[in-house]
Each structure stands twice: as C-alpha cells, then as structure tokens.
DNA sequence: GCCGTTTTCGGCCCGACTGTTTTCAGTCG
C-alpha cells in the first residue's frame, strides 16, 4: 500500500469521527496523522517492516495510531474504519462538502431526518422539512439548497496557473483603489500549491468599503457570500471563492502571515508563541500578561517570525512538514529560483505534435535567456503525434547540427522522448539512441497496467545506458488522470543506482513529480530536471510552475540538475 | 489521540461572520 492509499483511509476515519461529534482534539490528531502519512517522503510500509525503526518517531503518531497503521499495512484492513462504517453510511460524508454545513448540522440531518445522500438533502429542503429542526431555519435551508450544486464539484480545485491568471486581473482592479496602501494575495496560492481552492486577498487600507465595493463590481463576481467590517467573501461565476480582508498597516504583516497559512503551520507557530507567553493572531504579536495585551509586532511578516526567533520561511515551505526542524538546526534550504535554471531538456517541434519549428523554439529559448535546450520529439510509437522513426530522427539531428553552427548563445541538444513500450523495451534501437546527447524515456501507453508490470518497464528503461532521465514519472494529470500504479520508491532506488535523473514536468496539469516526491528524490540524492515539455513557444513559459513545485519540495539550486551548465550536466549522466 | 523547559495530566491557535438566538453555536479559514 502506498502512503497516499493509507492516508486516504485515515482521512475517511477522520471525517467519520468528526461526523460522530468525537472530541475535536481527537479528530485533529487523526487529521494531523493523515497529513503526516501523505507527506512522508518515504514509504511508511518500509518503517513498519524495519524492526529497527518506530512509527512513533514520526511527530504526531503515538502508540495508538502506530498500531492502527501497522494493522493496515499487515492486513490491508482497518477494523476501526469497518466499525465506523457499520454505524454511519459512507455516503453521508458528501454532506460535509456543502458550504455552510459542518459536522454538527450534517449529523443533525442524518440523525433527525435520516438523510444519507445529497439527493435526499435536496428533497428535504424543498419539502421545508429542514427548517423544522432545532438550530435550522428558512435561511439555512436556502443556504443548503444553494450549496448543493457546489458540493457536487467541491473537490475541484483549480490549477495554480489558472488561479494566477485571475489573481493578475483582480490585482489590476484592486491595486489602485482609493485608500489601498498595500495589497497581497495569501493562502495556498502564495504557498504555490499545485491547485488552489480559493483566493485570499489582503489589503492595508483606511477605506474598507471602497475596496469591498470594487470587489463586488468585479465583472466575474457572481454572489456575495458575506460582508462585514473587515472581511468579505464572494463567489465568482466559475465557482471560485474570493476572500478579502482589510487590515490596518500595523497588522498587515501579521495578517499576511496568518492568511498565508498553512493552517497546520500556523497551529504550530501559535503553539510556540503560547509557550513563550505570547499570542499571535491576524492583528499582531502580543505579550500576554494577565488581562493585559501589549502589541509587539505585526507591520511586516518577518517581524512576526522574528518575535519567535524564527526565519521568515519561504511561503512554499509553510506546510508543517520539516520547516521548523530545519529552522532549529539552522538548515533551512535556500530554495531554487527560476533565474537559476539555464537549460530546458524536454520540448517538441512541429516534426511531431509541437506547433513551432526547430528554429522558432531555439529563438524563443534564446529570448528567455537559456543557454541550452534539448529537442525531444516523440518516437514512432506515438502515432497520433506522428512520432519519429530512426530515419526522421537522424534527419532532425542533422538539422540541429546545422542550426548549432549558426547559433552563438544557445546549444541545441540532439534528443528524443523515447516511448517505453507496453510490452517493455524502448521504441528505438540502441544503435540510434547511443548517438543522442540527451534522452528522456516515458510511458504513454499501457498506463493502466498493474503496478509490478509498469514499474518493471520503467526500471528496464532506467537500466538502459542511453537513457538520461525518466519524464513525468507517474503520468498523473491533476483532476483528470490518476498516477500510474508505479512503485516510485523502486524507481528512485534504481535511478540512484544507475545515475539517472528524474523529471519534474512543469506543465501545470502535470507537475509530476509532485512536492512530496521531490523531497523523496532529494532524500535519495537524485538530481531533478525541471522541464517544460513545451509543445509551442508559449509552452516554454511554464517553467515557473515547475520551479514552484520544486521549492515546495524543499529543493535547492544544487538539487536541480539543469541549473548547471551543459558540460557539468553531461558529466552527471555519464 | 498526542504530547512534555507546565512532563503521565491537562492542555491542545485564534478570530470574523452568520443565523438563530436574546448570549451563543456553528462554520470557516
């Protein structure tokens, strides 16, 4: 079982406990453990099976949870979950996705009215049976009805890149609003998460109503969910929620810290503050003395952290994973930046399914300040893309030779994205591949094969001496396609052994490897290549999305191979 | 259910807003 699968089951347990009205701190302990398992950069099964190691060494995993994890790993079942499901049908968990309906109200619907599904909720609301319940009334019924459609798509978080486009438009609208001194976007957007569930805008303004009016007038604003003195929430036409907070200058840094999160990062931070007799909230850092509260800091975000002798963590690291440990040991990594990258080693031309010519791609790379690129068109198995056979590939390489003679500032490498065939083996013979400068191998067909089979195909590719890197190693498409059942840990062990690199595909729909896998690769000391997989000139601009993901994985410039000049990279791949 | 410079019990981050209430519970972030 993978960490994700195990985390999924503990997540169900957590939701069911919450639905049952269990002790909120117990619920939190389960939610915390769920996340820890998901974020662990090594397989938790390996820890269970290693007698010299203890699950309880993981922060947030105690004796009880360790036993449950062990049971799950050893038997494939979790008796606690089975028992919970005899008490509560799994379908009621969908009720929790209705905005405005939390565990208490959802449980009341189930207990009092026997409601188990979203359809039954709709029926009960339309029949006005919900408003009869204690704690409910007409308004709540309306809210639930309005939220039902959203519940159906509630797990649809949008790509960071899409959120970024909306952010640009909203910043342009709100920035020059009268009274606004500072304006920032916080939340998971600022932390660079691959998907974003809502957007949190933060303004330092002496005229809150002016900026709130402006948000209300945004052409894409559909409904106003709430509006108070300092806080406003709206929903855009596409369903995305925008939260706006207005704070005074002396609280701006504290609010930025607060609303950037993550929630778990903040819980840890506030716990640390409390143990020092301090209190941190969105209004500032305060010294608490009896009933007296003395304002200490809050103007700048860094001041908030400094009050606890902490560095101002890059937002991408604020996930309560390793950042506090790094800070206390003075090992906070200096994260890779877009400007560190000097090459792009995965892109296509119109020889296959790209839109631009070889020369246009080269010009575009020069315009973006790159010093080398690899042309990696598809191999022949990818018939839909008119993949290259040996003859066409060699002709492209001759064209690249001629191009390189004319270019001063860019080296174009002769490459190929060679398919890893369904039955195993590569799509082009070794006597062709051995003449390439750079080869990425990837799976496009047979993606649904059992884990053992697809893993073996990739391991065989890694053992081929001509292969430089594995492209998009799990094949997932965010919100659209699950990752292959590949054993990523085995792939990393093999990549390390054979000196191969792994790709972080910067396409905003892929971003594969993800942040947790990046940090696993770092643990294995495998250099990552961040590549655009560009199919057009504009496709070269996605590199920044890949860099964000790498930063979330804690990668430094040294951890990313294509921050090096090509001769050094070439030495790395032998 | 976890945790320990408050150490095996008694805490566990904190505030805004809404709706249903007449002082607060629930939800959200």
């Amino acid at each position: 079982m993978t960490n994700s699968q195990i985390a999924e089951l503990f997540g169900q347990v957590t939701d069911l406990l919450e639905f049952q009205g269990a002790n909120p701190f117990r619920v939190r302990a389960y939610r915390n453990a769920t996340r820890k398992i998901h974020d662990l950069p090594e397989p938790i099964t390996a820890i269970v099976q290693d007698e010299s190691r203890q699950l309880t060494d993981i922060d947030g995993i105690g004796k009880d949870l360790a036993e449950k994890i062990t049971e799950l790993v050893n038997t494939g079942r979790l008796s606690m979950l089975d028992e919970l499901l005899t008490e509560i049908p799994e379908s009621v968990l969908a009720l929790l996705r209705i905005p405005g309906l939390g565990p208490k109200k959802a449980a009341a619907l189930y207990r009092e009215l026997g409601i188990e599904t979203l359809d039954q909720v709709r029926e009960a609301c339309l029949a006005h049976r919900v408003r009869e319940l204690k704690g409910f009334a007409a308004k709540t019924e309306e809210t639930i009805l309005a939220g039902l459609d959203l519940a159906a798509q509630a797990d649809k978080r949008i790509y960071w890149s899409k959120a970024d486009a909306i952010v640009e438009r909203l910043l342009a609208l709100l920035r020059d609003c009268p009274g606004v001194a500072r304006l920032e976007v916080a939340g998971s957007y600022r932390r660079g998460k691959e998907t974003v569930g809502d957007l949190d805008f933060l303004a330092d303004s002496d005229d809150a109503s002016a900026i709130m009016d402006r948000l209300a007038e945004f052409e894409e604003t559909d409904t106003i969910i709430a509006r108070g003195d300092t806080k406003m929430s709206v929903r855009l036409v596409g369903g995305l929620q925008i939260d706006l907070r207005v704070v005074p200058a002396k609280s701006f840094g504290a609010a930025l810290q607060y609303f950037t999160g993550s929630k778990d990062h903040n819980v840890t931070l506030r716990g640390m503050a409390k143990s020092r007799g301090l209190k941190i909230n969105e209004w500032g850092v305060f010294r608490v003395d009896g009933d007296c509260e003395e304002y200490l800091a809050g103007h700048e975000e860094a001041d908030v952290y400094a009050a606890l002798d902490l560095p101002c963590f890059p937002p991408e690291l604020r996930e309560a994973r390793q950042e506090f440990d790094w800070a206390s040991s003075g090992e906070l990594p200096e994260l890779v930046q877009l400007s560190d990258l000097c090459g792009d080693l995965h892109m296509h031309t119109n020889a296959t399914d790209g839109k631009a010519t070889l020369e246009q791609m080269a010009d575009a790379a020069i315009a973006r300040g790159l010093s080398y690129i690899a042309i990696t068109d598809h191999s022949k198995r990818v018939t839909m893309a008119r993949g290259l056979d040996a003859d066409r590939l060699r002709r492209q390489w001759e064209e690249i030779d001629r191009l390189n003679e004319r270019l001063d500032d860019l080296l174009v490498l002769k490459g190929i994205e060679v398919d890893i065939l369904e039955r195993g083996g590569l799509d082009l013979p070794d006597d062709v591949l051995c003449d390439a400068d750079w080869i990425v191998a990837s799976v496009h067909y047979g993606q649904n094969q059992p884990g053992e089979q697809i893993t073996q195909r990739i391991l065989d590719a890694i053992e081929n001496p001509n292969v430089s890197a594995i492209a998009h190693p799990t094949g997932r498409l965010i919100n659209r396609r699950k990752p292959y059942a590949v054993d990523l840990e085995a792939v990393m062990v093999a990549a390390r052994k054979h000196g191969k690199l792994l790709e972080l595909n910067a396409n905003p729909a892929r971003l594969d490897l993800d942040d947790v896998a990046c940090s696993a690769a770092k643990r294995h000391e495998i250099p990552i290549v961040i590549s655009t997989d560009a199919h057009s000139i504009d496709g070269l601009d996605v590199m920044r999305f890949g860099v964000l993901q790498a930063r979330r994985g804690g990668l430094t410039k040294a951890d990313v191979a294509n921050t090096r000049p090509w001769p050094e990279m070439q030495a790395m791949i032998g």
Side-chain angles (χ1 to χ4, degrees):
Chain A
M1 278 184 122
T2 66
N3 289 352
S4 294
Q5 291 168 324
I6 294 169
E8 165 95 25
L9 293 175
F10 275 95
Q12 268 187 36
V13 170
T14 311
D15 287 344
L16 289 165
L17 283 175
E18 189 169 40
F19 194 88
Q20 269 193 335
N23 177 338
F25 296 107
R26 185 177 178 223
V27 174
R28 182 206 285 178
Y30 272 88
R31 203 171 292 295
N32 184 38
T34 300
R35 206 179 45 83
K36 281 281 190 240
I37 295 166
H38 179 270
D39 288 353
L40 206 64
E42 63 176 318
I44 202 163
T45 52
I47 302 176
V48 172
Q49 283 150 10
D50 185 342
E51 286 183 1
S52 69
R53 302 182 65 190
Q54 298 287 333
L55 285 172
T56 49
D57 288 342
I58 300 170
D59 191 35
I61 307 286
K63 182 168 167 290
D64 187 275
L65 280 163
E67 279 172 15
K68 292 193 166 73
I69 293 166
T70 304
E71 181 203 350
L72 186 53
V73 168
N74 289 338
T75 70
R77 299 213 63 83
L78 191 55
S79 47
M80 179 192 191
L81 179 58
D82 294 339
E83 280 166 33
L84 282 168
L85 286 173
T86 63
E87 294 162 22
I88 309 165
E90 195 180 342
S91 62
V92 298
L93 297 180
L95 271 52
L96 296 174
R97 294 209 302 266
I98 300 173
L101 202 62
K104 292 284 187 337
K105 284 200 159 74
L109 291 179
Y110 173 60
R111 273 199 318 272
E112 308 292 329
L113 298 177
I115 287 171
E116 297 185 8
T117 66
L118 293 177
D119 284 342
Q120 290 169 353
V121 176
R122 187 186 300 276
E123 273 175 46
C125 284
L126 291 174
H128 296 322
R129 282 187 287 135
V130 171
R131 64 178 63 181
E132 306 299 328
L133 298 177
K134 186 170 168 16
F136 292 75
K139 188 79 187 177
T140 308
E141 213 173 57
E142 286 169 27
T143 308
I144 293 173
L145 270 176
L148 272 168
D149 294 332
L150 290 166
Q153 49 167 1
D155 50 352
K156 279 284 176 191
R157 296 169 60 92
I158 64 171
Y159 295 161
W160 190 93
S161 58
K162 283 194 174 178
D164 188 49
I166 296 170
V167 163
E168 286 301 314
R169 290 209 297 284
L170 273 166
L171 283 178
L173 177 75
L174 301 176
R175 188 176 277 137
D176 67 341
C177 181
V180 173
R182 296 169 80 181
L183 183 65
E184 292 280 352
V185 189
S188 56
Y189 169 81
R190 183 161 180 248
R191 301 200 309 280
K193 266 195 97 160
E194 59 195 26
T195 59
V196 172
D198 60 16
L199 287 172
D200 302 292
F201 281 77
L202 181 67
D204 161 10
S205 173
D206 51 20
D207 186 356
S209 64
I211 188 168
M212 287 182 183
D213 286 347
R214 202 170 271 211
L215 177 58
E217 290 158 11
F218 181 48
E219 56 185 356
E220 290 175 45
T221 294
D222 184 62
T223 47
I224 294 168
I225 300 167
R227 178 169 173 169
D229 293 336
T230 66
K231 181 183 172 196
M232 178 179 187
S233 296
V234 307
R235 194 174 303 285
L236 301 187
V237 174
L240 187 71
Q241 183 172 328
I242 311 289
D243 295 331
L244 170 66
R245 293 291 292 247
V246 185
V247 298
K250 68 182 237 181
S251 297
F252 190 83
L256 183 57
Q257 191 288 318
Y258 184 85
F259 291 108
T260 296
S262 64
K263 186 184 169 89
D264 296 299
H265 176 91
N266 285 353
V267 167
T268 306
L269 191 74
R270 274 159 242 299
M272 291 169 80
K274 192 159 190 164
S275 68
R276 294 184 180 209
L278 302 177
K279 184 174 81 171
I280 301 180
N281 58 31
E282 63 262 56
W283 304 105
V285 182
F286 301 86
R287 180 170 303 288
V288 184
D289 188 8
D291 289 340
C292 283
E293 287 184 0
E294 179 197 357
Y295 170 90
L296 296 181
H299 201 279
E300 300 299 326
E301 191 174 49
D303 301 341
V304 175
Y305 286 108
L308 293 173
D309 300 314
L310 289 168
C312 190
F313 297 99
E316 296 91 333
L317 292 182
R318 300 182 195 174
E319 297 290 346
R321 290 175 180 166
Q322 299 170 83
E323 70 271 24
F324 290 104
D325 293 337
W326 281 332
S328 67
S329 61
E331 290 169 354
L332 196 67
E334 189 160 329
L335 301 180
V336 63
Q337 302 178 49
L338 182 60
S339 58
D340 292 331
L341 296 180
C342 52
D344 186 349
L345 291 166
H346 187 166
M347 68 185 66
H348 299 265
T349 72
N350 62 358
T352 60
D353 59 349
K355 290 192 174 65
T357 64
L358 171 62
E359 198 159 7
Q360 286 168 333
M361 292 304 279
D363 286 343
I366 293 169
R368 284 157 182 76
L370 297 176
S371 61
Y372 58 92
I373 60 172
I375 300 298
T376 53
D377 269 313
H378 290 290
S379 61
K380 61 184 192 302
R381 173 65 184 86
V382 188
T383 45
M384 262 172 52
R386 296 181 299 113
L388 303 179
D389 60 18
D391 285 344
R392 287 176 65 210
L393 179 59
R394 287 205 184 274
R395 284 207 293 281
Q396 186 185 56
W397 287 353
E398 288 166 15
E399 199 185 334
I400 289 174
D401 282 335
R402 288 194 294 276
L403 179 62
N404 273 324
E405 284 173 17
R406 300 205 304 273
L407 296 174
D408 294 326
D409 301 330
L410 182 76
L411 174 66
V412 181
L413 300 165
K414 291 177 279 192
I416 183 79
E417 178 178 12
V418 64
D419 246 62
I420 300 172
L421 300 172
E422 293 101 305
R423 62 170 189 280
L426 299 179
D427 192 24
L428 288 167
D430 285 337
D431 64 352
V432 176
L433 296 178
C434 69
D435 290 331
D437 299 316
W438 171 261
I439 293 177
V440 291
S442 59
V443 168
H444 291 105
Y445 296 93
Q447 296 190 16
N448 294 323
Q449 287 174 353
E452 241 170 67
Q453 189 179 5
I454 199 162
T455 302
Q456 193 56 52
R457 285 164 66 195
I458 295 175
L459 293 183
D460 289 345
I462 287 173
E463 285 181 24
N464 184 307
N466 296 309
V467 169
S468 319
I470 301 296
H472 42 76
T474 80
R476 66 103 177 244
L477 292 177
I478 298 170
N479 285 351
R480 299 216 303 270
R481 189 169 75 204
K482 290 216 168 289
Y484 325 135
V486 58
D487 179 349
L488 207 51
E489 180 74 5
V491 168
M492 291 197 184
V493 168
R496 172 69 180 152
K497 180 178 170 195
H498 295 280
K500 298 303 163 69
L501 313 186
L502 295 178
E503 176 186 273
L504 195 186
N505 191 298
N507 184 308
R510 290 189 180 273
L511 294 174
D512 158 23
L513 305 173
D514 69 12
D515 49 359
V516 174
C518 280
S519 102
K522 179 169 178 152
R523 194 174 62 83
H524 282 283
E525 299 179 342
I526 300 165
I528 293 298
V529 188
I530 309 178
S531 304
T532 62
D533 198 355
H535 285 68
S536 65
I537 287 170
D538 290 345
L540 293 171
D541 295 324
V542 303
M543 191 66 99
R544 62 194 182 109
F545 307 132
V547 171
L548 263 183
Q549 185 81 302
R551 289 170 63 87
R552 287 180 53 80
L555 302 192
T556 65
K557 182 177 176 181
D559 298 324
V560 177
N562 50 323
T563 60
R564 295 169 175 75
W566 173 246
E568 279 182 42
M569 276 239 27
Q570 203 172 17
M572 288 178 79
I573 57 172

